[in-house]
Amino acid sequence: MSWLKSWRKQAAPLRKLRGRDEQSESTKVALEKLAPPITHFLGLVAYLQLEVFEAASRAVAAAPTLEAKETLSTAAGLALDKHQAFTEEMRRRGLEPFQVMQPFTPIIDDYIERIESDDWLEGVLNVYLVAGLFDAFFSELAGGVRDPYAEVAREVLDGTTGREEVAALLAQQIEADPRIGDRLALWGRRIVGDSLLVARSALVLSENKSQDDESIEPVFSELIATHIRRMDGLGLTA
Amino acid sequence: MSWLKSWRKQAAPLRKLRGRDEQSESTKVALEKLAPPITHFLGLVAYLQLEVFEAASRAVAAAPTLEAKETLSTAAGLALDKHQAFTEEMRRRGLEPFQVMQPFTPIIDDYIERIESDDWLEGVLNVYLVAGLFDAFFSELAGGVRDPYAEVAREVLDGTTGREEVAALLAQQIEADPRIGDRLALWGRRIVGDSLLVARSALVLSENKSQDDESIEPVFSELIATHIRRMDGLGLTA
């Protein structure tokens, strides 16, 4: 897992993110190798969005103010919209959504359980970071999926997320109490490793055996860079 | 609370529901007396839909199968859509949604806490019955609200709910095990009283002091009739 061990070292020079059009040659090659078949891709993204929706809903339920409830319920609704866009596409293909998602539930459920927190703000940070990581990861990956729907999937994943408002909510709390920032910085570091591991395992599960650490590395390096940017934006050390 | 004590007695002849166009004269009069100002109406319906969304989300999280998750997340999304339609209308009027909803949160939160259940199927029945009762109640009530938006609000409340699928999910479980039906019949009887009480308290909170048990009675009788129809539809004794 060289990509995981060395992420902090690598991350620094990557802070300046390349635009999508300038996607590096190595990333392009990696994506073509890694991309799962469209059905697996749909199952993965649909179930992950459902889990983001569930995580956001939990944060709605635990929110201490109505303002926070508004922000988080908007984010929950947008994740659910994405989920439903993917399940509609499955139905259009004559597939039952629950059957398509089923193979990916154990690994994702296990992950969600690991990152779940009883602390409301840690839960909100989960929504922000996890949704951000996976939208970016699968949007990149869609670039390698050989199917006309891949481009649509990319647009869905890149669409409105309501995350700016979630970030503002977190930033507000962090500004009010520096100890919150320290705690959330630790939490952010904890969940990024798990998130990358699940992204990798999801690829293995999708039965695309060709990937190895070398081809995954550039994709994950970009992901880590976007993660750091999100943490920076909150004033947290990644 | 004569309307509450006598509901079982009254309910029988009401099983044949009047269509909306045949709304009785007494109901019309009652609605005009009862209807709160538009801002209070918006605060009430928006917060109730948010709570239906939360209840449905809890049921999604606890669902034992992906099929059930699909059904319940659709219902959750539709309640959230309604909530968002109402908060958009508040913003259009230059009002902050959380401020408009705030006065109605204690009574509704208290109610939600009372009807919450650790049992997944009881939670699903809550979503089905509570959302059904309140959509119908506030749709009726909109008929007496003096504001151009009232008609739109009515359409929003009468819109797609995803509840037929929730009912099918419950019916499936009840058919599979008659003991589930017995338990759910009891649960349904338990929550209807609380639901009607909160509907009544919501009206009092909205500072419309003119209502009394007599004017509320016809409205609640109709509500109870629709409740009984929902229970009948599940094969449960109301």
Side-chain angles (χ1 to χ4, degrees):
Chain A
M1 300 280 157
S2 60
W3 54 268
L4 190 57
K5 277 189 212 132
S6 59
W7 73 270
R8 305 186 115 271
K9 205 170 54 197
Q10 289 174 0
L14 273 159
R15 282 188 190 222
K16 254 200 198 161
L17 272 181
R18 283 183 295 274
R20 176 153 293 156
D21 295 340
E22 308 160 54
Q23 201 174 58
S24 75
E25 206 45 49
S26 62
T27 307
K28 270 188 199 149
V29 172
L31 286 173
E32 273 164 31
K33 273 200 209 165
L34 292 169
I38 181 71
T39 314
H40 292 169
F41 181 84
L42 286 173
L44 274 164
V45 287
Y47 192 62
L48 269 167
Q49 293 296 333
L50 185 63
E51 289 308 297
V52 170
F53 158 75
E54 285 191 33
S57 301
R58 275 193 298 273
V60 173
T65 67
L66 268 181
E67 279 171 284
K69 262 187 206 292
E70 278 303 290
T71 300
L72 291 162
S73 66
T74 301
L78 290 165
L80 188 60
D81 287 346
K82 291 181 183 184
H83 167 76
Q84 287 172 346
F86 298 132
T87 56
E88 264 165 42
E89 177 61 18
M90 294 174 196
R91 287 202 188 87
R92 212 181 56 78
R93 290 166 184 256
L95 303 167
E96 262 302 329
F98 78 94
Q99 286 172 341
V100 181
M101 293 187 283
Q102 202 77 65
F104 308 105
T105 58
I107 189 149
I108 293 171
D109 288 348
D110 182 55
Y111 159 68
I112 294 291
E113 213 168 282
R114 266 200 321 274
I115 67 164
E116 224 175 275
S117 168
D118 286 337
D119 179 84
W120 176 66
L121 275 172
E122 288 174 0
V124 176
L125 188 64
N126 281 357
V127 172
Y128 180 58
L129 295 178
V130 169
L133 267 169
F134 286 122
D135 281 3
F137 177 67
F138 284 101
S139 169
E140 286 291 322
L141 205 60
V145 175
R146 282 178 216 87
D147 189 279
Y149 185 75
E151 198 45 49
V152 182
R154 193 163 196 162
E155 280 163 28
V156 171
L157 290 165
D158 292 346
T160 321
T161 59
R163 272 202 292 278
E164 299 74 20
E165 291 77 13
V166 175
L169 178 69
L170 287 164
Q172 206 179 17
Q173 304 278 330
I174 292 165
E175 211 184 337
D177 183 351
R179 283 167 306 179
I180 289 177
D182 294 343
R183 186 157 54 82
L184 290 183
L186 271 173
W187 187 256
R189 268 170 251 159
R190 185 184 141 175
I191 66 171
V192 68
D194 271 338
S195 303
L196 294 174
L197 279 169
V198 82
R200 190 178 190 288
S201 310
L203 292 180
V204 175
L205 257 184
S206 78
E207 285 170 23
N208 188 321
K209 309 286 189 199
S210 68
Q211 70 272 26
D212 48 53
D213 280 0
E214 252 173 77
S215 58
I216 290 173
E217 201 151 324
V219 181
F220 281 3
S221 296
E222 291 214 356
L223 272 189
I224 289 161
T226 64
H227 170 78
I228 289 172
R229 194 171 50 172
R230 266 177 232 114
M231 294 287 275
D232 276 352
L234 295 173
L236 302 178
T237 312
Chain B
M1 301 281 158
S2 60
W3 53 268
L4 191 56
K5 278 188 213 134
S6 58
W7 74 271
R8 303 187 117 269
K9 205 169 54 196
Q10 288 175 3
L14 274 158
R15 281 185 190 223
K16 254 199 199 162
L17 273 181
R18 282 183 295 276
R20 177 153 292 157
D21 295 339
E22 308 159 54
Q23 202 174 56
S24 74
E25 206 45 49
S26 62
T27 308
K28 270 187 197 149
V29 171
L31 286 172
E32 274 164 30
K33 271 199 208 167
L34 291 169
I38 181 71
T39 315
H40 292 169
F41 180 84
L42 286 172
L44 275 164
V45 288
Y47 193 61
L48 269 166
Q49 293 296 334
L50 185 62
E51 289 308 297
V52 170
F53 159 75
E54 286 191 32
S57 301
R58 277 193 296 273
V60 173
T65 68
L66 268 182
E67 280 171 284
K69 263 189 206 290
E70 278 302 291
T71 300
L72 291 162
S73 65
T74 302
L78 291 165
L80 188 59
D81 288 345
K82 292 182 182 184
H83 166 77
Q84 288 171 346
F86 298 132
T87 56
E88 265 165 40
E89 176 61 19
M90 294 174 196
R91 287 202 188 86
R92 213 182 53 81
R93 291 166 184 254
L95 303 167
E96 263 301 331
F98 77 94
Q99 286 172 341
V100 181
M101 292 187 283
Q102 201 78 65
F104 307 106
T105 58
I107 189 149
I108 293 171
D109 288 349
D110 182 56
Y111 159 68
I112 295 290
E113 213 168 283
R114 266 202 319 274
I115 66 163
E116 225 175 273
S117 168
D118 285 337
D119 180 83
W120 176 66
L121 275 173
E122 289 174 359
V124 176
L125 187 63
N126 280 357
V127 172
Y128 179 58
L129 294 178
V130 169
L133 266 169
F134 286 122
D135 281 4
F137 177 66
F138 285 101
S139 169
E140 286 290 322
L141 205 60
V145 174
R146 284 178 214 85
D147 190 279
Y149 184 75
E151 197 45 49
V152 182
R154 193 163 196 161
E155 280 164 28
V156 170
L157 289 166
D158 292 346
T160 321
T161 60
R163 272 202 291 279
E164 298 73 20
E165 292 75 13
V166 175
L169 178 68
L170 286 164
Q172 207 179 16
Q173 303 279 331
I174 292 165
E175 211 184 336
D177 183 351
R179 282 168 307 177
I180 290 177
D182 294 343
R183 187 157 53 83
L184 291 183
L186 270 174
W187 187 255
R189 269 171 250 159
R190 185 185 142 175
I191 66 171
V192 67
D194 271 338
S195 302
L196 294 174
L197 278 170
V198 83
R200 190 179 189 287
S201 310
L203 292 181
V204 175
L205 257 184
S206 78
E207 286 172 21
N208 188 320
K209 308 288 189 197
S210 68
Q211 69 272 30
D212 49 53
D213 280 359
E214 252 172 79
S215 58
I216 290 174
E217 201 152 323
V219 181
F220 281 2
S221 296
E222 291 213 356
L223 274 190
I224 290 160
T226 64
H227 171 78
I228 289 172
R229 195 171 48 174
R230 265 176 233 113
M231 294 286 277
D232 276 351
L234 295 173
L236 301 178
T237 313

